[in-house]
Amino acid sequence: MSKWTRRETLKAGASAAALAAMGGVIPRAALAAKQFDGAITIGSIEPLTGIGAALGAPNYIGKLIAIDEINAKGGIAVGGKNFQIKLISEDDQTSPDQGVPLFRKLAEKDKCLIITGTQYSRVTESMWGLLQKKLDDKSDPGLQVPSMSFLSMKAGVAGISPWSFRNAGNEPEQHETTLSVVEKKYGPYKVYGGAVEANEAHSVAAWRAAYLPALKRRNVEPAAYVEWYETDRDFSVQIRKLKRANLDLFVLSSHFQANVGALLEAKRQGFKPKTIISHIGADAIEMVQLGGDAVEGIVFPAAVHQSMSLVQPLAVEYKKRTKEKYMPQFTGLGYEGMYILKHAMETAGIKNTPESLQEDRRKVRDVLAGLKNYKSFAGMTLNMNENRDIVRPTYLVKIDKGDFRMWWDQEKGFLF
Amino acid sequence: MSDYLIDLLQTSIDGLLFGSTYALVAIGFTVIWGLLRILNLAHGQTVMVGMFAGMVCSTIFKLPIIVGFVAAMAAACVVGIIVDRVCYRPLRNAHELVPMIATLGFWIFLEEAFIKIYFYTWFRGYMDFPNPYTFVGYDVGPIRLRLDYLITLAVSAALVAVLYLIVYRTRFGLAMRMVAESHDIGYLMGVPVRRILTGTFLLASAYGGAAGFLIGMASNLASPQAGTLAVVKGLFAMILGGSGSIVGAIVGGMTLGVLELTGAYVVSFAYRDAIAMIILFAVLIVRPQGIAGKATIERV
């Protein structure tokens, strides 16, 4: 059994306290005495606090559940040996200033085989800026450690380095699907418009790289376009402008923090477009808890959903640990991501010795880059594309009667 | 009247009403500045803690609004006492920058602590702050007046009136004004300067807590980062209106509210803060003492 670091002990204590405070069940499986031949160190960077916590925290819980399960079932099997996964977890506080040094620490000091995270695009792209830009380029002193984000939706983020990977879905494809589906159901629309969270990289990128091109393909110019910040508290000016434009399709490229305030203001002003669509930033329980019926009817894309039969056991465990009523897709992506990494480590034939670290990192990277026909826990088949983004189907979720309900499935069509 | 003008008028009124919360925050800054000549950068945390206490009363314990409001002011007062005891009193003989840096450190510490509290207690970065008046308003011709904004303005006005009574009609206020002129003369005249300073911290903090409650209620959520925003807005309002002047804080806060919203409406949201900042520069060039501040001449 490898020695725990002081930081790990503190983190474990903090997590245990957090779960205990929430009345949750502290995972015992990972703590149970089990004979391993050593440990594989994996780094985790998440926005556990700060503005991105609503995405990062559920993702982190998904990782923890997966690691508990993997370790309880014997850990990572490589070359006839079984290694326990040892997770070193760090909180980037949704800040690049925090994330960049933490990423370097996990790679260089903690010597992690793989670094998972982070999940907020602006932090992820700053961290991945430390990675080598061109594979086998000896003149590039960048870090050579595989890193996979289980979110960071900003278009093109995974292309930063040959060592960076993402399991989150293709956002331009997600929004094209969303637009097509709502047009089919509620269209045709005459007046399109949008709002963008102007200080948030993912929301800006979603607007520019996904929504605008999708509108252009339809020969549509947004009749009204407004901006706000995720920290804003008054949205009256923006909503008034949108209302004057008489929108019937409103694109909300914004996270829940601003969405809630804006939609409460929309209700206050009586602005009610026929359809409102948003990105994955709307997938947070705070939407319904803070927004009430003002957020009813919003449609947004999802990579997995708690209602899927194969996902339900995870949702049960998530709710047990957190006492939350709803498991957002980020938990599923974190959980699934850890199993993808397990598959990569076992397939790569790593040696897991201090001397073989760099060689092992490269082997894992290569397996991830060539990932094909991976069977997800949720039942779908996943493939890594040339941009190191895992290609996965899109589902649509609708906020309906205060609940996040799966609304559309590629195979089954509209579900209600 | 054209739609454009109606919207401009509506935007200006919204800005004026919402700006009253900025005024309350600025009052806290200006009272401390007037007496101590230090920027109490931890003042934003009285806003955040007030918002937190109000949220706990309203959301967790479902207590009446008035209870939450009083609790917000009381909780903020506790922060004020701590700031006085930790950041000012032990450092009163140090260079004037030292207590300011201490309040900066306290600000960062408290914000970090509350970020953790929100996360580990509720698994959240934000909490719901119920506002029973969210959708209530009155129509005056084409203009809609939000009830929660009207309440904010009324409460702010009442608190300003109380502040004036305290400052100009009580012995405590008389002592405050004397201490503001000179701590040494205050000592010589038998004024309990330390107690007056503590009382001033309490007063300023209570106003911060009130602002925190009103901002939280109007925006329907409580956030551990609210203090940072309050520092930016409060300092801006204080400087714009005139540092050390209560009237200046009110004028500055409301002007900032109007500038922000009308700037976003007339020009673009993208330049909202830049517009407000340019106007601040312009005002300071013409009137370095701020809109309502008094010019002082220092003879050497």
Side-chain angles (χ1 to χ4, degrees):
Chain A
M1 197 97 150
S2 69
K3 194 180 163 191
W4 273 53
T5 63
R6 180 175 163 272
R7 180 169 289 276
E8 280 173 300
T9 310
L10 287 172
K11 282 283 172 190
S15 301
L19 289 167
M22 288 181 279
V25 179
I26 298 167
R28 304 285 173 198
L31 305 176
K34 202 159 186 68
Q35 290 305 310
F36 289 105
D37 298 302
I40 293 175
T41 308
I42 293 180
S44 165
I45 304 186
E46 293 281 1
L48 294 177
T49 53
I51 211 128
L55 318 176
N59 200 296
Y60 180 58
I61 299 289
K63 287 186 200 177
L64 291 182
I65 295 171
I67 291 171
D68 287 348
E69 284 179 8
I70 292 168
N71 283 340
K73 289 177 188 164
I76 306 294
V78 183
K81 292 180 178 173
N82 285 71
F83 296 101
Q84 182 189 28
I85 295 179
K86 192 178 83 169
L87 194 74
I88 299 181
S89 172
E90 299 289 358
D91 173 13
D92 63 41
Q93 301 176 11
T94 329
S95 159
D97 298 342
Q98 298 283 334
V100 170
L102 288 173
F103 191 80
R104 188 177 283 285
K105 171 196 160 285
L106 289 173
E108 294 181 337
K109 181 173 170 286
D110 299 322
K111 301 196 182 307
C112 295
L113 177 64
I114 307 164
I115 300 173
T116 62
T118 188
Q119 321 305 347
Y120 222 64
S121 300
R122 68 174 175 226
V123 187
T124 306
E125 60 186 353
S126 306
M127 285 177 6
W128 284 354
L130 297 174
L131 291 169
Q132 189 184 47
K133 302 290 179 296
K134 196 175 166 194
L135 209 56
D136 299 325
D137 180 358
K138 292 195 168 37
S139 66
D140 184 346
L143 296 173
Q144 297 174 44
V145 55
S147 180
M148 184 180 267
S149 172
F150 306 141
L151 201 57
S152 304
M153 289 298 284
K154 183 181 173 185
V157 163
I160 288 175
S161 162
W163 295 87
S164 53
F165 300 89
R166 179 169 56 178
N167 177 35
N170 177 336
E171 187 151 57
E173 186 277 321
Q174 283 188 345
H175 296 316
E176 177 55 49
T177 301
T178 310
L179 273 170
S180 304
V181 170
V182 295
E183 279 168 336
K184 189 176 161 192
K185 181 83 172 175
Y186 301 119
Y189 299 110
K190 289 178 186 162
V191 191
Y192 294 71
V196 177
E197 206 171 28
N199 64 336
E200 206 287 307
H202 161 225
S203 297
V204 175
W207 178 255
R208 290 184 187 164
Y211 289 119
L212 274 184
L215 295 179
K216 204 172 176 185
R217 283 192 289 276
R218 290 161 173 76
N219 291 320
V220 168
E221 275 290 318
Y225 165 82
V226 299
E227 293 180 350
W228 52 60
Y229 292 157
E230 61 198 352
T231 46
D232 272 343
R233 293 290 171 270
D234 187 291
F235 300 86
S236 56
V237 175
Q238 294 93 328
I239 294 297
R240 203 165 291 125
K241 187 175 172 189
L242 294 167
K243 188 183 173 192
R244 289 281 184 209
N246 251 330
L247 302 186
D248 50 9
L249 183 98
F250 176 30
V251 176
L252 198 51
S253 189
S254 178
H255 289 75
F256 77 90
Q257 299 93 333
N259 287 352
V260 168
L263 291 170
L264 286 172
E265 182 62 34
K267 185 175 175 191
R268 203 176 281 127
Q269 291 192 24
F271 166 55
K272 196 160 176 54
K274 204 194 286 185
T275 307
I276 303 176
I277 59 174
S278 187
H279 62 49
I280 51 100
D283 194 8
I285 188 73
E286 287 91 336
M287 279 289 285
V288 293
Q289 287 186 341
L290 304 179
D293 61 357
V295 304
E296 279 288 301
I298 291 179
V299 175
F300 62 86
V304 290
H305 190 262
Q306 63 171 17
S307 66
M308 295 170 170
S309 58
L310 292 170
V311 180
Q312 282 172 11
L314 172 64
V316 169
E317 180 62 21
Y318 174 82
K319 290 170 188 174
K320 199 166 103 181
R321 291 191 186 204
T322 63
K323 297 291 175 201
E324 291 285 341
K325 290 178 184 161
Y326 170 68
M327 183 194 83
Q329 59 187 301
F330 318 122
T331 308
L333 290 169
Y335 177 87
E336 182 184 73
M338 292 311 300
Y339 274 98
I340 291 172
L341 297 182
K342 175 181 186 287
H343 165 81
M345 288 184 278
E346 291 182 339
T347 310
I350 58 171
K351 294 175 187 159
N352 195 36
T353 63
E355 299 75 31
S356 67
L357 177 64
Q358 204 45 52
E359 184 191 336
D360 289 346
R361 284 173 170 176
R362 177 59 190 262
K363 285 178 180 173
V364 171
R365 191 220 81 89
D366 290 347
V367 170
L368 287 174
L371 189 78
K372 293 282 174 236
N373 299 319
Y374 174 80
K375 197 78 179 165
S376 158
F377 82 105
M380 63 276 280
T381 303
L382 307 179
N383 293 291
M384 188 71 72
N385 71 11
E386 66 283 3
N387 299 319
R388 292 173 301 284
D389 265 321
I390 287 179
V391 179
R392 56 186 315 131
T394 296
Y395 304 89
L396 295 182
V397 174
K398 189 174 189 180
I399 298 180
D400 181 65
K401 299 185 185 82
D403 195 8
F404 295 84
R405 296 176 66 194
M406 184 130 96
W407 181 59
W408 180 85
D409 175 324
Q410 215 157 5
E411 289 171 8
K412 298 173 192 161
F414 293 101
L415 301 175
F416 66 95
Chain B
M1 208 188 296
S2 69
D3 287 349
Y4 181 85
L5 287 178
I6 290 170
D7 286 355
L8 182 61
L9 183 61
Q10 174 77 63
T11 300
S12 305
I13 290 170
D14 284 346
L16 202 66
L17 296 176
F18 192 65
S20 59
T21 57
Y22 294 160
L24 275 186
V25 180
I27 283 173
F29 277 112
T30 217
V31 166
I32 300 291
W33 174 259
L35 253 71
L36 304 174
R37 292 288 165 213
I38 62 162
L39 276 181
N40 174 18
L41 294 176
H43 182 63
Q45 296 313 303
T46 63
V47 175
M48 186 274 288
V49 169
M51 187 182 281
F52 177 84
M55 178 275 291
V56 169
C57 288
S58 305
T59 307
I60 311 296
F61 297 113
K62 318 277 183 213
L63 295 171
I65 285 180
I66 186 68
V67 177
F69 185 73
V70 172
M73 292 177 81
C77 283
V78 173
V79 176
I81 290 175
I82 296 171
V83 172
D84 176 38
R85 296 297 161 95
V86 174
C87 303
Y88 178 71
R89 207 178 269 199
L91 305 171
R92 65 183 182 278
N93 294 324
H95 186 278
E96 60 191 16
L97 276 178
V98 176
M100 193 180 86
I101 298 298
T103 60
L104 174 66
F106 188 79
W107 161 13
I108 294 168
F109 164 78
L110 211 62
E111 182 172 295
E112 290 265 332
F114 271 79
I115 285 172
K116 303 301 189 259
I117 287 171
Y118 273 73
F119 178 69
Y120 288 125
T121 311
W122 298 293
F123 199 50
R124 291 269 194 286
Y126 293 82
M127 279 297 283
D128 188 9
F129 196 128
N131 175 359
Y133 314 111
T134 298
F135 301 114
V136 186
Y138 302 104
D139 293 321
V140 181
I143 302 300
R144 177 95 174 152
L145 299 174
R146 277 176 61 172
L147 181 57
D148 52 358
Y149 278 14
L150 287 173
I151 290 172
T152 299
L153 179 69
V155 173
S156 303
L159 288 174
V160 168
V162 169
L163 183 64
Y164 262 91
L165 285 177
I166 291 172
V167 173
Y168 293 106
R169 294 282 184 273
T170 65
R171 286 174 64 83
F172 174 70
L174 184 65
M176 273 175 75
R177 285 181 282 142
M178 171 159 284
V179 171
E181 289 298 319
S182 164
H183 291 199
D184 293 337
I185 294 175
Y187 276 118
L188 292 172
M189 299 292 287
V191 173
V193 174
R194 280 170 58 169
R195 272 171 48 199
I196 296 300
L197 293 177
T198 301
T200 307
F201 264 103
L202 276 174
L203 191 63
S205 303
Y207 279 67
F213 184 92
L214 294 170
I215 294 170
M217 193 179 80
S219 54
N220 294 84
L221 55 84
S223 147
Q225 283 95 3
T228 300
L229 208 60
V231 170
V232 175
K233 306 292 186 190
L235 278 180
F236 187 107
M238 178 184 82
I239 295 166
L240 182 66
S243 305
S245 156
I246 294 171
V247 175
I250 298 162
V251 171
M254 293 187 147
T255 307
L256 176 61
V258 173
L259 276 179
E260 279 189 343
L261 295 194
T262 52
Y265 177 71
V266 175
V267 186
S268 158
F269 172 84
Y271 302 106
R272 179 191 66 175
D273 293 337
I275 293 165
M277 200 54 74
I278 287 167
I279 289 174
L280 174 66
F281 283 140
V283 168
L284 292 182
I285 288 168
V286 180
R287 284 183 64 84
Q289 68 273 31
I291 296 172
K294 285 181 186 157
T296 53
I297 300 167
E298 196 169 314
R299 291 196 173 84
V300 181

